[in-house]
Amino acid sequence: MNPLSTHRAAVAVAAAVVLSFTSTGLANGAAGALHRDDNGKITIGIKFDQPGIGLKTPDGTYTGFDVDVAKYVAKQLGHDPSDIVWKEAKSADRETLLQRGDVDFIAASYSITPKRAEKVDFAGPYLLAHQDVLIRADDDSIKKPSDLNNKKLCSVTGSTSAQNVKDKIAPDAQLQEYGGYSECLTGLENGVIDAVTTDDSILAGYAAQPEFKGKFKLGGFKMSNENYGIGVQKGSDLKAEINKALEKMVADGSWQAAVTKNFGPAGYRNEPAPKIGVVVQ
């Protein structure tokens, strides 16, 4: 074989080795968490500021229903709690975090919608929530959605929840926008606000906090369907693994235990665990 032929053969072998390594790496990566650290860590996106859903406490621990679900799923994927790196997943950042590979998956009151599904894939759903209102426990004047007319209705700045009520349900509601739900609840407690609106799961999480226990109740109005899913990268095989974990969580009772622990004190009447792959419109 002449030197040129030898060189070509060497290049071909090297290319084959690289291609084989790359293909194997992609296949192995797709089979599990796509972005696991070399030290075996797994990065999970959650909310840091939603009590009962996803909350970073002053002592640096994490609590909430989404946190419990994420821990269960991570365990089924082979990770102890000490392997988890928690990353804040603000609503506006969730698709970007997944697309950039900054997280392995996201469990952050992440409603499955067609628009979002164009950019990421969803495992689940694992919770069916509804838009609802939170009112004072002793307030009997709001018994149905239309009773919100002429009431002071609070939601956070930029939220579509309150506007949805005014546009479709109670056109005479007086919208009040605050910087955060905690401010809305303070106003509700003090009588400045008559009702707070967003997902019932989020409202229940706030109302279940020790400082608010017994002070508020959910209206139970079910003004929309919010199917919470676990976001993963588009095309990731991790979706199937997470779905299996969610099915097991429901079957062994861990799902209901997490619902009761995180939402129970607010009298939250949860829907049964959703069937995987079925999005309620």
PDB file of all heavy atoms in Angstrom, residues 49-64:
ATOM      1  N   ASP A  49     -40.607  29.856  44.487  1.00  0.00           N
ATOM      2  CA  ASP A  49     -41.397  30.841  45.218  1.00  0.00           C
ATOM      3  C   ASP A  49     -42.880  30.505  45.305  1.00  0.00           C
ATOM      4  O   ASP A  49     -43.709  31.390  45.517  1.00  0.00           O
ATOM      5  CB  ASP A  49     -41.234  32.217  44.566  1.00  0.00           C
ATOM      6  CG  ASP A  49     -41.686  32.233  43.103  1.00  0.00           C
ATOM      7  OD1 ASP A  49     -42.001  31.150  42.557  1.00  0.00           O
ATOM      8  OD2 ASP A  49     -41.726  33.331  42.506  1.00  0.00           O
ATOM      9  N   GLN A  50     -43.237  29.222  45.163  1.00  0.00           N
ATOM     10  CA  GLN A  50     -44.630  28.822  45.244  1.00  0.00           C
ATOM     11  C   GLN A  50     -44.827  27.823  46.387  1.00  0.00           C
ATOM     12  O   GLN A  50     -44.591  26.629  46.223  1.00  0.00           O
ATOM     13  CB  GLN A  50     -45.110  28.208  43.924  1.00  0.00           C
ATOM     14  CG  GLN A  50     -45.270  29.213  42.802  1.00  0.00           C
ATOM     15  CD  GLN A  50     -45.828  28.597  41.538  1.00  0.00           C
ATOM     16  OE1 GLN A  50     -45.864  27.386  41.381  1.00  0.00           O
ATOM     17  NE2 GLN A  50     -46.262  29.435  40.610  1.00  0.00           N
ATOM     18  N   PRO A  51     -45.269  28.293  47.548  1.00  0.00           N
ATOM     19  CA  PRO A  51     -45.519  27.371  48.674  1.00  0.00           C
ATOM     20  C   PRO A  51     -46.485  26.265  48.278  1.00  0.00           C
ATOM     21  O   PRO A  51     -47.471  26.506  47.575  1.00  0.00           O
ATOM     22  CB  PRO A  51     -46.143  28.288  49.740  1.00  0.00           C
ATOM     23  CG  PRO A  51     -45.665  29.657  49.399  1.00  0.00           C
ATOM     24  CD  PRO A  51     -45.583  29.692  47.896  1.00  0.00           C
ATOM     25  N   GLY A  52     -46.197  25.061  48.699  1.00  0.00           N
ATOM     26  CA  GLY A  52     -47.039  23.920  48.366  1.00  0.00           C
ATOM     27  C   GLY A  52     -46.742  23.322  47.009  1.00  0.00           C
ATOM     28  O   GLY A  52     -47.095  22.174  46.735  1.00  0.00           O
ATOM     29  N   ILE A  53     -46.080  24.065  46.146  1.00  0.00           N
ATOM     30  CA  ILE A  53     -45.727  23.604  44.799  1.00  0.00           C
ATOM     31  C   ILE A  53     -44.215  23.414  44.697  1.00  0.00           C
ATOM     32  O   ILE A  53     -43.716  22.306  44.492  1.00  0.00           O
ATOM     33  CB  ILE A  53     -46.206  24.600  43.728  1.00  0.00           C
ATOM     34  CG1 ILE A  53     -47.732  24.735  43.760  1.00  0.00           C
ATOM     35  CG2 ILE A  53     -45.733  24.176  42.354  1.00  0.00           C
ATOM     36  CD1 ILE A  53     -48.465  23.566  43.193  1.00  0.00           C
ATOM     37  N   GLY A  54     -43.500  24.509  44.806  1.00  0.00           N
ATOM     38  CA  GLY A  54     -42.043  24.479  44.783  1.00  0.00           C
ATOM     39  C   GLY A  54     -41.523  25.687  45.523  1.00  0.00           C
ATOM     40  O   GLY A  54     -41.726  26.819  45.075  1.00  0.00           O
ATOM     41  N   LEU A  55     -40.881  25.465  46.655  1.00  0.00           N
ATOM     42  CA  LEU A  55     -40.442  26.580  47.500  1.00  0.00           C
ATOM     43  C   LEU A  55     -39.037  26.318  48.038  1.00  0.00           C
ATOM     44  O   LEU A  55     -38.771  25.251  48.585  1.00  0.00           O
ATOM     45  CB  LEU A  55     -41.407  26.765  48.671  1.00  0.00           C
ATOM     46  CG  LEU A  55     -41.076  27.904  49.642  1.00  0.00           C
ATOM     47  CD1 LEU A  55     -41.284  29.261  48.961  1.00  0.00           C
ATOM     48  CD2 LEU A  55     -41.943  27.809  50.898  1.00  0.00           C
ATOM     49  N   LYS A  56     -38.168  27.308  47.867  1.00  0.00           N
ATOM     50  CA  LYS A  56     -36.859  27.263  48.507  1.00  0.00           C
ATOM     51  C   LYS A  56     -36.973  27.978  49.850  1.00  0.00           C
ATOM     52  O   LYS A  56     -37.288  29.164  49.909  1.00  0.00           O
ATOM     53  CB  LYS A  56     -35.801  27.956  47.638  1.00  0.00           C
ATOM     54  CG  LYS A  56     -34.397  27.893  48.228  1.00  0.00           C
ATOM     55  CD  LYS A  56     -33.381  28.557  47.313  1.00  0.00           C
ATOM     56  CE  LYS A  56     -31.977  28.459  47.912  1.00  0.00           C
ATOM     57  NZ  LYS A  56     -30.959  29.091  47.019  1.00  0.00           N
ATOM     58  N   THR A  57     -36.762  27.249  50.923  1.00  0.00           N
ATOM     59  CA  THR A  57     -36.938  27.803  52.259  1.00  0.00           C
ATOM     60  C   THR A  57     -35.687  28.558  52.689  1.00  0.00           C
ATOM     61  O   THR A  57     -34.615  28.393  52.092  1.00  0.00           O
ATOM     62  CB  THR A  57     -37.233  26.689  53.271  1.00  0.00           C
ATOM     63  OG1 THR A  57     -36.084  25.826  53.355  1.00  0.00           O
ATOM     64  CG2 THR A  57     -38.436  25.862  52.826  1.00  0.00           C
ATOM     65  N   PRO A  58     -35.804  29.393  53.730  1.00  0.00           N
ATOM     66  CA  PRO A  58     -34.636  30.161  54.195  1.00  0.00           C
ATOM     67  C   PRO A  58     -33.444  29.301  54.582  1.00  0.00           C
ATOM     68  O   PRO A  58     -32.302  29.755  54.491  1.00  0.00           O
ATOM     69  CB  PRO A  58     -35.189  30.925  55.405  1.00  0.00           C
ATOM     70  CG  PRO A  58     -36.647  31.082  55.106  1.00  0.00           C
ATOM     71  CD  PRO A  58     -37.041  29.806  54.430  1.00  0.00           C
ATOM     72  N   ASP A  59     -33.684  28.063  55.010  1.00  0.00           N
ATOM     73  CA  ASP A  59     -32.564  27.199  55.405  1.00  0.00           C
ATOM     74  C   ASP A  59     -31.975  26.414  54.233  1.00  0.00           C
ATOM     75  O   ASP A  59     -31.132  25.541  54.405  1.00  0.00           O
ATOM     76  CB  ASP A  59     -32.979  26.247  56.523  1.00  0.00           C
ATOM     77  CG  ASP A  59     -34.070  25.279  56.088  1.00  0.00           C
ATOM     78  OD1 ASP A  59     -34.491  25.322  54.912  1.00  0.00           O
ATOM     79  OD2 ASP A  59     -34.506  24.463  56.931  1.00  0.00           O
ATOM     80  N   GLY A  60     -32.468  26.731  53.001  1.00  0.00           N
ATOM     81  CA  GLY A  60     -31.877  26.112  51.820  1.00  0.00           C
ATOM     82  C   GLY A  60     -32.461  24.774  51.426  1.00  0.00           C
ATOM     83  O   GLY A  60     -31.935  24.100  50.529  1.00  0.00           O
ATOM     84  N   THR A  61     -33.564  24.372  52.047  1.00  0.00           N
ATOM     85  CA  THR A  61     -34.230  23.130  51.650  1.00  0.00           C
ATOM     86  C   THR A  61     -35.354  23.462  50.672  1.00  0.00           C
ATOM     87  O   THR A  61     -35.715  24.621  50.472  1.00  0.00           O
ATOM     88  CB  THR A  61     -34.796  22.389  52.866  1.00  0.00           C
ATOM     89  OG1 THR A  61     -35.718  23.253  53.561  1.00  0.00           O
ATOM     90  CG2 THR A  61     -33.678  21.991  53.823  1.00  0.00           C
ATOM     91  N   TYR A  62     -35.919  22.408  50.060  1.00  0.00           N
ATOM     92  CA  TYR A  62     -36.937  22.599  49.031  1.00  0.00           C
ATOM     93  C   TYR A  62     -38.169  21.767  49.387  1.00  0.00           C
ATOM     94  O   TYR A  62     -38.053  20.591  49.735  1.00  0.00           O
ATOM     95  CB  TYR A  62     -36.384  22.197  47.665  1.00  0.00           C
ATOM     96  CG  TYR A  62     -35.165  23.004  47.274  1.00  0.00           C
ATOM     97  CD1 TYR A  62     -33.892  22.596  47.658  1.00  0.00           C
ATOM     98  CD2 TYR A  62     -35.282  24.187  46.560  1.00  0.00           C
ATOM     99  CE1 TYR A  62     -32.766  23.344  47.336  1.00  0.00           C
ATOM    100  CE2 TYR A  62     -34.169  24.943  46.229  1.00  0.00           C
ATOM    101  CZ  TYR A  62     -32.923  24.514  46.623  1.00  0.00           C
ATOM    102  OH  TYR A  62     -31.814  25.265  46.296  1.00  0.00           O
ATOM    103  N   THR A  63     -39.338  22.393  49.293  1.00  0.00           N
ATOM    104  CA  THR A  63     -40.574  21.723  49.658  1.00  0.00           C
ATOM    105  C   THR A  63     -41.635  21.962  48.598  1.00  0.00           C
ATOM    106  O   THR A  63     -41.544  22.884  47.795  1.00  0.00           O
ATOM    107  CB  THR A  63     -41.104  22.246  51.011  1.00  0.00           C
ATOM    108  OG1 THR A  63     -41.463  23.638  50.871  1.00  0.00           O
ATOM    109  CG2 THR A  63     -40.065  22.101  52.106  1.00  0.00           C
ATOM    110  N   GLY A  64     -42.673  21.121  48.616  1.00  0.00           N
ATOM    111  CA  GLY A  64     -43.794  21.302  47.711  1.00  0.00           C
ATOM    112  C   GLY A  64     -44.127  20.039  46.932  1.00  0.00           C
ATOM    113  O   GLY A  64     -43.334  19.089  46.876  1.00  0.00           O
TER     114      GLY A  64
END
